[in-house]
């Protein structure tokens, strides 16, 4: 039994095995209906509880479909509708109860500490469905998507534009180290990756470039990527942050400075006309809908990995 909280918790070998299983399960079920179970139904008779402290479209839907494809069932819990560490029941007691009912828990939280605390008391695995610190499930889906289109990500160049200090950029820095690609981040000084992740990157010899120049970040790039300028947990002055990031927009002019066959990625939801133009996100180089679909496939093998002894 294992938790899936951060990319950095797993070895490169474990992460690779998750990606390969996801690819192979996806190919095997290509003629099946969207929610039909895989032939081996590895999650048959089992269930997952999902708790969302924050809104979600993709994570909610893709985990539900993933569970169906594995042959199991899922239940979505609204923290406002359950006893969830709000004074009437401790997080510890809620965790103990869930342990009795289900086989695995997925949590989307505003506080990474909740994941760690919940994980400590659960006697079943917990998956991080996004926290203020990281978004590992999305990044696994992005690696899978990249590789379906461009082959092994090892040795390739991925560029990140905009907010260099959010959950997605943190998980991408960890992924660059584990999967062996170069990550080039372009961001203003005040939105640089935080000290903790930079020191992890240094210690783990991540091929990471942090620059203030968008052109430098996209040069020779195989994949240009960005994210919402204002994340769900961001308690900032939105107007000021948007103004500070405006030169980091991914537009046609910037895409033309990457490799001619570079792909464009975005985890969604998107701030159209802010971090990316309609022309790019709706254009031929964009693979954002495939990223969303692959959440299902990547998460199926993450669930299987968690339940392995
Ligand atoms: N990318 C992602 O996690 O989307 P949701 O917020 O819709 O789940
Ligand atoms: N950084 C974004 C990712 C959304 C999937 C956020 O946390 O809102």
């Amino acid at each position: 039994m294992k938790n899936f909280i951060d990319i950095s918790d797993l070895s490169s070998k474990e992460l690779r095995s998750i990606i390969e299983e996801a690819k192979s399960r996806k190919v095997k079920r290509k003629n099946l209906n969207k929610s039909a179970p895989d032939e081996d139904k590895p999650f048959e008779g089992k269930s997952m509880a999902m708790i969302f402290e924050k809104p979600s479209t993709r994570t909610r839907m893709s985990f539900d479909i993933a569970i169906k494809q594995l042959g199991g069932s899922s239940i979505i819990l609204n923290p406002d509708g359950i006893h969830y560490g709000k004074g009437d029941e401790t997080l510890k007691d809620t965790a103990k109860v869930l342990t009795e009912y289900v086989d695995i828990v997925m949590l989307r939280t505003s506080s990474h500490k909740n994941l760690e605390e919940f994980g400590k008391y659960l006697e079943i695995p917990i998956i991080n469905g996004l926290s203020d610190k990281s978004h590992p499930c999305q990044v696994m889906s992005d690696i899978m998507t990249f590789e379906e289109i461009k082959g092994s990500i090892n040795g390739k160049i991925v560029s990140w534009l905009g907010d260099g200090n959010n959950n997605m950029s943190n998980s991408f820095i960890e992924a660059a180290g584990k999967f062996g690609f170069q990550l080039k981040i372009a961001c203003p000084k005040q939105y640089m990756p935080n000290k903790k992740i930079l020191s992890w990157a240094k210690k783990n010899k991540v091929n990471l470039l942090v620059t203030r120049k968008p052109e430098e970040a996209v040069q020779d790039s195989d994949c240009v990527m960005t994210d919402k300028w204002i994340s769900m947990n961001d308690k900032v002055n939105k107007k000021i942050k948007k103004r500070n990031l405006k030169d980091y927009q991914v537009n046609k002019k910037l895409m033309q400075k990457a490799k001619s066959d570079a792909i464009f990625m975005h985890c969604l939801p998107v701030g159209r006309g802010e971090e990316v133009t309609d022309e790019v996100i709706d254009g031929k180089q964009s693979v954002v809908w495939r990223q969303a679909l692959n959440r299902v496939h990547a998460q199926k093998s993450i669930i299987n990995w968690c339940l392995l002894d």
Side-chain angles (χ1 to χ4, degrees):
M1 184 208 100
K2 296 178 255 18
N3 295 334
F4 187 81
I5 294 184
D6 275 313
I7 300 265
S8 57
D9 299 335
L10 280 76
S11 68
S12 298
K13 199 172 157 198
E14 286 172 304
L15 293 162
R16 174 52 59 197
S17 77
I18 290 173
I19 297 287
E20 293 313 313
E21 187 194 331
K23 288 183 195 163
S24 111
R25 277 192 181 272
K26 183 178 175 185
V27 170
K28 272 194 208 139
R29 58 168 295 114
K30 68 178 188 303
N31 297 322
L32 295 180
N33 286 335
K34 287 173 184 153
S35 287
D38 288 354
E39 209 175 301
D40 60 343
K41 299 185 189 155
F43 209 57
E44 191 170 26
K46 296 187 179 169
S47 61
M48 168 182 258
M50 297 190 250
I51 306 173
F52 289 92
E53 292 177 19
K54 298 199 270 197
S56 165
T57 302
R58 281 142 287 267
T59 307
R60 187 183 298 259
M61 291 297 299
S62 59
F63 265 108
D64 190 63
I65 298 162
I67 292 288
K68 285 195 173 80
Q69 291 190 2
L70 293 173
S73 64
S74 64
I75 176 162
I76 295 176
L77 303 172
N78 177 348
D80 290 333
I82 58 169
H83 306 282
Y84 180 73
K86 283 178 299 203
D88 56 348
E89 184 169 76
T90 62
L91 221 51
K92 179 177 174 177
D93 291 343
T94 306
K96 290 267 179 210
V97 171
L98 289 185
T99 299
E100 299 298 324
Y101 289 143
V102 295
D103 301 278
I104 190 162
V105 170
M106 191 238 62
L107 175 63
R108 167 166 288 196
T109 177
S110 304
S111 162
H112 198 78
K113 281 198 192 90
N114 278 356
L115 263 170
E116 283 158 357
E117 196 183 338
F118 218 50
K120 199 164 75 195
Y121 299 124
L122 280 172
E123 287 155 44
I124 51 175
I126 187 163
I127 295 178
N128 175 1
L130 181 147
S131 74
D132 50 330
K133 182 183 158 223
S134 53
H135 197 5
C137 291
Q138 177 70 52
V139 171
M140 291 300 277
S141 161
D142 297 349
I143 304 283
M144 175 181 177
T145 307
F146 181 101
E147 294 200 337
E148 280 182 342
I149 300 162
K150 307 203 80 62
S152 172
I153 198 163
N154 188 276
K156 299 283 195 325
I157 300 179
V158 175
S159 315
W160 177 272
L161 277 292
D163 188 355
N165 187 23
N166 73 10
N167 42 17
M168 281 295 298
S169 57
N170 285 340
S171 290
F172 254 104
I173 292 173
E174 295 181 3
K178 295 287 180 177
F179 287 94
F181 58 89
Q182 184 182 12
L183 183 63
K184 299 204 280 181
I185 299 181
C187 58
K189 200 158 173 259
Q190 61 270 50
Y191 307 113
M192 270 183 56
N194 62 68
K195 281 196 190 121
K196 209 167 163 195
I197 190 78
L198 284 177
S199 104
W200 184 90
K202 197 168 168 200
K203 204 165 131 205
N204 289 278
K205 300 188 172 55
V206 179
N207 192 349
L208 175 68
L209 172 88
V210 181
T211 171
R212 289 164 82 169
K213 298 184 194 134
E215 298 77 21
E216 188 181 8
V218 300
Q219 193 182 356
D220 301 321
S221 180
D222 297 287
C223 173
V224 179
M225 191 175 286
T226 185
D227 187 10
K228 267 230 146 106
W229 284 342
I230 314 291
S231 280
M232 287 183 273
N233 58 292
D234 252 356
K235 310 251 180 311
V236 289
N237 181 316
K238 294 183 185 164
K239 236 170 139 178
I240 294 178
K241 189 167 181 187
K242 286 182 185 179
R243 196 168 57 220
N244 290 339
L245 285 167
K246 73 174 177 6
D247 294 338
Y248 295 83
Q249 183 190 64
V250 181
N251 50 37
K252 193 174 165 195
K253 201 168 144 213
L254 192 67
M255 278 306 285
Q256 279 167 346
K257 297 200 164 109
K259 278 188 184 159
S260 58
D261 62 350
I263 52 175
F264 171 75
M265 281 195 179
H266 192 305
C267 64
L268 306 175
V270 59
R272 285 176 177 266
E274 294 185 348
E275 72 271 14
V276 62
T277 58
D278 284 345
E279 192 177 18
V280 169
I281 197 161
D282 297 329
K284 279 214 265 312
Q285 287 164 285
S286 170
V287 299
V288 298
W289 314 118
R290 177 137 27 154
Q291 284 174 263
L293 166 67
N294 281 339
R295 292 290 301 274
V296 172
H297 300 290
Q299 284 155 198
K300 283 166 70 182
S301 42
I302 290 170
I303 294 164
N304 282 340
W305 176 83
C306 285
L307 292 169
L308 280 177
D309 287 327

